[in-house]
Amino acid sequence: VQIRGYKVRLPLDLFVVASANPEDYTNRGRIITPLKDRFGAEIRTHYPLRLADEISLVRQEADLQAQVPHHLLEVVSRFTRLGRESTAVDQRSGVSARFSVAAAESLAASALRRAAITGEALGVARVGDLPAVVPTLRGKVEFEVSEEGREEEVLQHLLKRAVAETFRARLGGVDLAALITRFDEGPSIEGGDLVTSEEILRRVGPVEGLGRIVAALEGEDSGGESPGIVAACLETVLEGLYLTRRISKDEVPGGGRAVYGGA
């Protein structure tokens, strides 16, 4: 500050935050010059560099009205990060944390809807709730002009990649032979956004190594005794096995349901 011609530097304990409108709104995409001049500095910003930070950000900011397992928050975070790398997405506008937060909240909303319709005591999000996320995210990201008309297709593809990456990262070293053998010995298993957790557990039946699967996806202190969490982990494994082409999957006409069977 300047007092009567004398410049005085004061030790200030301040944290300054500035925001900028997206490029497609102001044709700038940067902090406006008059505002930057007032800072007297150019500030470089970036998205979270580590996946763990991305997950923590979603957990902190999302208002979740139902339980979303940790491994599904990881799927959401990987989904966001893949969007930031996709050539189909307009990277000048970017894919902000609002994308992740909206995805997590939509997951929770789908689980809450299932609990209300089926009478489940506790809504717990599962992989079967992910398709409901895509339409809600369409307005949260800008695409390249060449992708016009394919927006939801692009998002669905990125979401499947996020599930597959989480499956490999979390369960790459876990023996899933007992579950795969289950499809050779018994009937197919139905999952989806209106199939209850109890129904999934009943159809799958006892599986050797189930505790290791839950621990790998949710951690040792996962509360794995919850039927909702166990069912969520099982459905994620089924989807991961399908995406890695080790079992088959058929979509039931009308949407919302899928049948997993032998390869």
Side-chain angles (χ1 to χ4, degrees), residues 184-245:
D184 299 330
E185 299 174 347
S188 56
I189 299 171
E190 185 176 16
D193 63 350
L194 289 181
V195 179
T196 65
S197 300
E198 289 76 9
E199 180 66 13
I200 290 177
L201 295 178
R202 185 186 68 80
R203 285 179 175 271
V204 173
V207 176
E208 182 182 352
L210 180 56
R212 291 192 296 272
I213 292 174
V214 175
L217 286 171
E218 290 295 296
E220 295 295 337
D221 300 325
S222 59
E225 68 280 357
S226 162
I229 290 293
V230 176
C233 291
L234 281 173
E235 194 167 304
T236 296
V237 173
L238 296 178
E239 185 68 12
L241 290 173
Y242 160 67
L243 292 173
T244 54
R245 301 184 179 182

Side-chain angles (χ1 to χ4, degrees), residues 55 88 100 107-108 110 121 135-136 145-146 156 162 174 227 249 255:
I55 297 171
S100 303
L107 264 179
S110 182
T136 66
V145 176
S146 60
Q156 288 167 356
V174 178
K249 175 183 174 182

Side-chain angles (χ1 to χ4, degrees), residues 20-194:
N21 287 320
E23 183 173 1
D24 60 338
Y25 183 77
T26 61
N27 293 323
R28 300 181 64 88
R30 299 181 297 275
I31 297 175
I32 61 173
T33 303
L35 182 58
K36 189 167 66 174
D37 287 345
R38 284 175 174 80
F39 284 125
E42 184 171 341
I43 302 172
R44 292 175 177 263
T45 60
H46 58 77
Y47 295 118
L49 300 179
R50 299 190 310 152
L51 177 63
D53 293 335
E54 193 93 49
I55 297 171
S56 297
L57 179 61
V58 176
R59 191 182 297 278
Q60 172 185 294
E61 297 298 326
D63 181 14
L64 304 178
Q65 299 299 314
Q67 189 173 2
V68 180
H70 179 79
H71 72 274
L72 286 184
L73 291 180
E74 180 173 333
V75 169
V76 166
S77 298
R78 289 182 183 275
F79 182 28
T80 302
R81 295 165 79 86
L82 287 171
R84 293 174 187 153
E85 300 170 0
S86 174
T87 57
V89 174
D90 183 355
Q91 299 302 332
R92 293 168 297 179
S93 296
V95 182
S96 73
R98 289 189 294 272
F99 185 91
S100 303
V101 170
E105 291 177 346
S106 296
L107 264 179
S110 182
L112 193 64
R113 169 179 174 267
R114 176 172 56 256
I117 293 175
T118 64
E120 280 188 308
L122 178 65
V124 180
R126 302 198 306 262
V127 163
D129 297 307
L130 286 173
V133 168
V134 172
T136 66
L137 298 177
R138 174 61 188 84
K140 302 270 182 205
V141 61
E142 298 293 330
F143 292 84
E144 295 291 348
V145 176
S146 60
E147 301 299 331
E148 185 175 353
R150 296 185 60 251
E151 294 87 353
E152 289 198 14
E153 181 183 339
V154 170
L155 290 176
Q156 288 167 356
H157 173 69
L158 294 177
L159 188 53
K160 288 178 181 178
R161 282 185 57 192
V163 174
E165 286 186 6
T166 303
F167 174 78
R168 293 190 185 98
R170 292 273 175 176
L171 296 167
V174 178
D175 184 6
L176 301 176
L179 188 57
I180 297 174
T181 303
R182 164 73 178 74
F183 289 97
D184 299 330
E185 299 174 347
S188 56
I189 299 171
E190 185 176 16
D193 63 350
L194 289 181

